[in-house]
Amino acid sequence: MRVGSSAPVLVRSLVALARTRTSGVLDVKVPGRSAAVAVVHGAPVAIAIQGEADPSLGDRLVDAGAFDDDAHRRALDLSVPHAPIGEWLVAHGVTTRDALEHALEDQLRERIAKVLAWENANFEFRTGSTDVGVPHLARPMGAGQAVMLGLRALVADVPLDDIFRELGSQVLRLTRVGEEMVIDAELTPTERASVALMRRGVSVPLLLHGEYGTEDVVRLVYALWRTRGAAAPSPGMDTYATILRKQREVRNRVSAHALLDLPKGARGPEARRALRRLAQRVHPDRIDASAPPAVHAASRDVLVALLDAERRIAVGKA
């Protein structure tokens, strides 16, 4: 499965409910499938899903080795199973409270992953009752943690080559939604370091091919990007002003030093630092896709000219 087009809306809805600590049911519908997400004080505690193959709670407990068949047979002789089925199983010694909670956590994670893969879903939130016919988690996890667990499951099998190709060489910055996704998520130290870099804005090649580029980080960055938890920063007026200024300087054939905003005697190391500083402003990856084609073209032309100016200074031909 891949992250679907509806995933950003689902993520934004859940983090917004967490921010306001609202209770109710979030209905998600696509043709032939539906899900009802029970939310208690902003935390998703259960998901009922229709139209998707999904293991039962009993199957999960059996797979985990936490289902006592003999106790189950004795329980069936004594009473008829009733909802909530998890409570019935615990009350009759078929499973333990901890095993039930782990099974419900796995169920929630896997069902969130399924819904995150849906395309063109419709969303509706109903305040009030949170009963969706599925046992609630006794120890609710935060919305960010629940979303990140689902996303990790969803992107776990995406080929790394596909991820690198989709991410390209753009600059990514953590968005407000991204902040709320990671605030209570369980992250490794390396993942936390990569999140810190994204708070400032960092190029994908630097992030994923440097010391932080472990497979876990690659998949975390990809999950955040696909759900708009990380995005290319919108260029400010200073970016456009710099592009226009440098475009004029290129047309006027100013010197390599002037193009890099350097004094005439500056040498290679200074030129490299100046190039990095200017490239952070004018790089094509910083330009919003909705910007006019002329802006994209000017950005590319200016970057090529800056690279050439740095090369000429470095080899002493400026």
Side-chain angles (χ1 to χ4, degrees), residues 21-161:
R21 296 184 56 80
T22 305
S23 297
V25 174
L26 178 64
D27 290 316
V28 188
K29 296 180 181 179
V30 296
R33 289 171 291 176
S34 65
V37 185
V39 180
V40 176
H41 301 311
V45 294
I47 299 181
I49 196 165
Q50 302 290 332
E52 285 267 11
D54 192 69
S56 69
L57 187 59
D59 289 338
R60 293 176 190 277
L61 291 167
V62 169
D63 291 343
F67 190 94
D68 188 324
D69 286 321
D70 291 335
H72 188 230
R73 282 192 291 271
R74 289 194 298 271
L76 290 175
D77 289 337
L78 294 172
S79 68
V80 177
H82 55 79
I85 189 64
E87 296 297 330
W88 184 85
L89 293 172
V90 171
H92 288 82
V94 180
T95 191
T96 65
R97 174 67 60 188
D98 281 346
L100 173 64
E101 193 70 4
H102 285 306
L104 290 174
E105 288 176 357
D106 288 343
Q107 184 183 71
L108 183 70
R109 181 188 69 247
E110 291 176 16
R111 288 180 176 179
I112 284 182
K114 290 177 187 295
V115 179
L116 285 166
W118 290 358
E119 302 284 348
N120 304 316
N122 292 314
F123 294 82
E124 182 180 351
F125 184 71
R126 297 178 278 121
T127 58
S129 172
T130 60
D131 181 13
V132 294
V134 175
H136 288 190
L137 285 174
R139 301 186 296 268
M141 62 182 76
Q145 172 73 345
V147 165
M148 289 307 306
L149 286 173
L151 282 170
R152 287 183 191 278
L154 189 56
V155 305
D157 297 325
V158 179
L160 291 177
D161 287 346

Side-chain angles (χ1 to χ4, degrees), residues 1 9 12 35 52 71 96 118 120 126 128 134 160 162 176 180 206 240 245 247 286 289 308:
M1 292 190 296
V9 181
R12 286 200 304 275
E52 285 267 11
T96 65
W118 290 358
N120 304 316
R126 297 178 278 121
V134 175
L160 291 177
D162 290 358
R176 181 180 178 183
E180 297 188 67
L206 179 62
Y240 291 118
R245 177 166 63 88
Q247 186 182 46
R286 289 188 58 85
D308 182 63

